[in-house]
Amino acid sequence: MNFELSEEHLMIQQAARDFARTECLPGVIERDEKMQFPREQIMKLADLGFLGMMVSQEYGGAGLDTISYVLAMEEISKIDASVSVCMSVNNSLVCYGLEAYGTEEQKQKYLTPLAQGKKNDELYIGAFLLSEPEAGSDATSQRTTAEDKGDHYVLNGTKNWITNGGTASVYLVIAQTDVAKGPKGINVFIVEKSWPGVVVAAKENKLGIRASDTHTILFNDVKVPKENRIGEDGFGFKFAMKTLAGGRIGIASQALGIASGAYELSLKYSKERKAFGTEISNHQAIAFKLADMATRIEAARLLCMQAAFDKDQKKDYTLSSSMAKVYASETAMWTTVEAVQIHGGYGFVKEYHVERLMRDAKITQIYEGTSEVQRIVISRSILK
Ligand code: CAA
């Protein structure tokens, strides 16, 4: 067993760290406050090859492994989780789904520009549309329908909480094609945002990851060519579950980064701030919090790496990705609350960053499967 990162991994980690500090840190507080999508930062991520990190070079990707993705996600999430969620959705849910299950034509037409993050020098990213007003954790209860009309489908329904909803050019839409067949009557379609009947509705005003672009999307009689269905008829739910297993590695790494960012800020602050005649890090009340943060973060990192390793080795990673996500997201929430406490009054104001990290941490326990859903996946796996 070897826990060392390779030279290439260290280079990617450093590139992501530099990108986060030089491109994401400036303006991060303002973007959060104004709910301003980090377009410039995402365009630069595209230039770095970080929007299609694991896509093979044949389809415009960087051809890197999942370990590299975890490293990059952690570094960027330390500074700006709104940037990293956009990156995670494009990489794990959109590009992966297309590369693993798309046809050659679908890959040429959609995957290549999505992996590059650009088309004709314009931003070109994707979104994953599974959640609905009444289908969140209970993802098989899809109400969006796609009616088979021979050479095309007609799509109707409402999707919500859609990351990249307003900025994406391409949507992967999960919809019911045959209610009687239950989960086997669900399909997934590639839908272009510009098509008639696609409506980008309300933008959410969120607690955290406020600069990311989250919308409700409506479909009113949208004509979808049959060649835009991914996989065999009825493959949609399995597609969603398989793709989400990889997505959970991305969100686990995001949570890991949020926790590490809060920990690093707390470590620095506790060595500078004096109280009762000494730096607060000299008080056990603070030192023990830092010890617990460091320990939990290291455990979360190992779980993320295990899941990434399983995926790279082509082993089943459903269990390890859910374990990584539930543990890393709970670590992020706990660590960021403690980070605010260590900073005292300064932790409660925006300039010190930890209050934003605390708000951002919460969503990692909710999206791409709540902590409760992860426990369903884990318990089913260990009990079967
Ligand atoms: N891999 C492959 N197939 C799977 C699977 C997996 N991991 N999990 C389930 N399936 C299959 C089952 O085998 C079953 O098929 P068979 O009948 O052939 O056996 C079918 O799918 C239905 O499975 P279940 O009966 O287990 O389904 P369930 O209703 O009990 O759901 C669940 C299980 C784990 C709770 C699932 O619904 C789930 O993961 N829910 C959470 C959804 C989620 O993560 N949403 C996130 C939205 S996307 C997002 O947040 C992105 C963003 O913008 C940031």
Side-chain angles (χ1 to χ4, degrees):
M1 194 180 290
N2 182 0
F3 284 88
E4 294 294 328
L5 293 174
S6 69
E7 282 295 316
E8 193 188 23
H9 287 142
L10 290 170
M11 273 171 54
I12 289 156
Q13 186 181 46
Q14 191 60 48
R17 192 172 290 159
D18 292 344
F19 169 80
R21 287 188 188 155
T22 57
E23 305 294 344
C24 299
L25 188 56
V28 65
I29 294 172
E30 202 183 15
R31 291 194 299 275
D32 170 76
E33 225 162 22
K34 295 183 176 163
M35 303 197 306
Q36 184 189 325
F37 181 71
R39 184 173 289 272
E40 210 181 292
Q41 287 71 18
I42 303 296
M43 291 290 268
K44 286 184 178 156
L45 264 191
D47 295 336
L48 273 178
F50 280 12
L51 291 183
M53 284 189 84
M54 296 164 287
V55 175
S56 60
Q57 290 174 345
E58 187 191 346
Y59 297 113
L64 295 168
D65 60 9
T66 316
I67 302 276
S68 306
Y69 175 55
V70 169
L71 293 170
M73 280 294 298
E74 180 184 353
E75 292 305 321
I76 295 168
S77 306
K78 282 181 188 174
I79 306 282
D80 194 339
S82 290
V83 169
S84 69
V85 68
C86 173
M87 169 178 161
S88 182
V89 167
N90 200 63
N91 272 284
S92 297
L93 299 183
V94 180
C95 288
Y96 172 79
L98 281 168
E99 185 162 34
Y101 305 109
T103 62
E104 186 54 32
E105 291 70 36
Q106 290 169 347
K107 290 181 198 178
Q108 295 291 348
K109 185 169 179 189
Y110 296 107
L111 176 60
T112 302
L114 284 167
Q116 291 169 338
K118 284 187 187 175
K119 194 172 172 181
N120 304 325
D121 282 333
E122 296 288 332
L123 184 68
Y124 194 85
I125 55 173
F128 183 83
L129 287 71
L130 172 67
S131 303
E132 298 190 355
E134 289 172 78
S137 294
D138 182 7
T140 55
S141 293
Q142 296 289 308
R143 298 275 183 278
T144 297
T145 56
E147 205 183 329
D148 192 342
K149 297 280 189 186
D151 65 339
H152 67 275
Y153 288 88
V154 175
L155 191 63
N156 278 290
T158 302
K159 294 286 177 182
N160 52 359
W161 321 120
I162 305 307
T163 303
N164 300 342
T167 39
S169 303
V170 174
Y171 296 150
L172 299 189
V173 184
I174 317 289
Q176 189 75 247
T177 44
D178 188 344
V179 184
K181 288 188 183 163
K184 291 191 178 63
I186 292 175
N187 274 293
V188 55
F189 303 94
I190 306 167
V191 176
E192 296 182 28
K193 187 177 72 183
S194 58
W195 286 351
V198 178
V199 179
V200 177
K203 178 171 171 163
E204 302 296 344
N205 183 352
K206 310 188 295 285
L207 172 74
I209 54 159
R210 286 173 53 79
S212 79
D213 178 48
T214 311
H215 283 264
T216 294
I217 309 292
L218 312 176
F219 299 101
N220 300 319
D221 290 328
V222 178
K223 195 173 163 186
V224 183
K226 208 145 216 180
E227 62 266 22
N228 276 35
R229 190 185 76 206
I230 302 177
E232 292 297 304
D233 186 25
F235 180 62
F237 193 69
K238 286 219 160 132
F239 173 91
M241 293 297 110
K242 285 180 176 290
T243 305
L244 277 166
R248 289 166 186 164
I249 301 176
I251 299 307
S253 319
Q254 180 188 47
L256 170 66
I258 293 170
S260 311
Y263 164 70
E264 287 175 12
L265 288 168
S266 302
L267 198 63
K268 182 168 177 289
Y269 181 81
S270 68
K271 288 184 191 169
E272 291 166 359
R273 168 80 177 172
K274 289 190 175 151
F276 304 102
T278 183
E279 289 78 18
I280 61 170
S281 59
N282 290 326
H283 299 299
Q284 272 192 346
I286 302 299
F288 282 11
K289 279 191 201 300
L290 293 167
D292 284 344
M293 284 178 174
T295 307
R296 293 190 195 192
I297 289 168
E298 198 51 33
R301 184 173 291 115
L302 290 170
L303 282 169
C304 288
M305 288 299 174
Q306 174 74 62
F309 177 82
D310 287 348
K311 182 163 176 285
D312 288 337
Q313 297 299 312
K314 310 219 178 311
K315 295 181 181 176
D316 191 337
Y317 51 94
T318 309
L319 173 65
S320 52
S321 64
S322 280
M323 284 181 164
K325 183 177 181 283
V326 73
Y327 191 79
S329 61
E330 289 177 5
T331 297
M333 198 66 250
W334 178 83
T335 302
T336 53
V337 169
E338 294 294 2
V340 171
Q341 191 67 23
I342 289 174
H343 282 75
Y346 294 100
F348 207 62
V349 296
K350 294 194 183 295
E351 288 74 7
Y352 283 73
H353 299 286
V354 285
E355 65 82 33
R356 187 185 68 259
L357 291 168
M358 183 178 80
R359 288 185 285 105
D360 289 350
K362 189 62 207 168
I363 193 61
T364 67
Q365 294 180 296
I366 298 172
Y367 58 21
E368 300 201 23
T370 58
S371 294
E372 292 74 17
V373 161
Q374 306 315 319
R375 287 183 168 88
I376 293 176
V377 175
I378 295 165
S379 58
R380 280 183 183 177
S381 177
I382 60 178
L383 289 167
K384 81 176 175 206

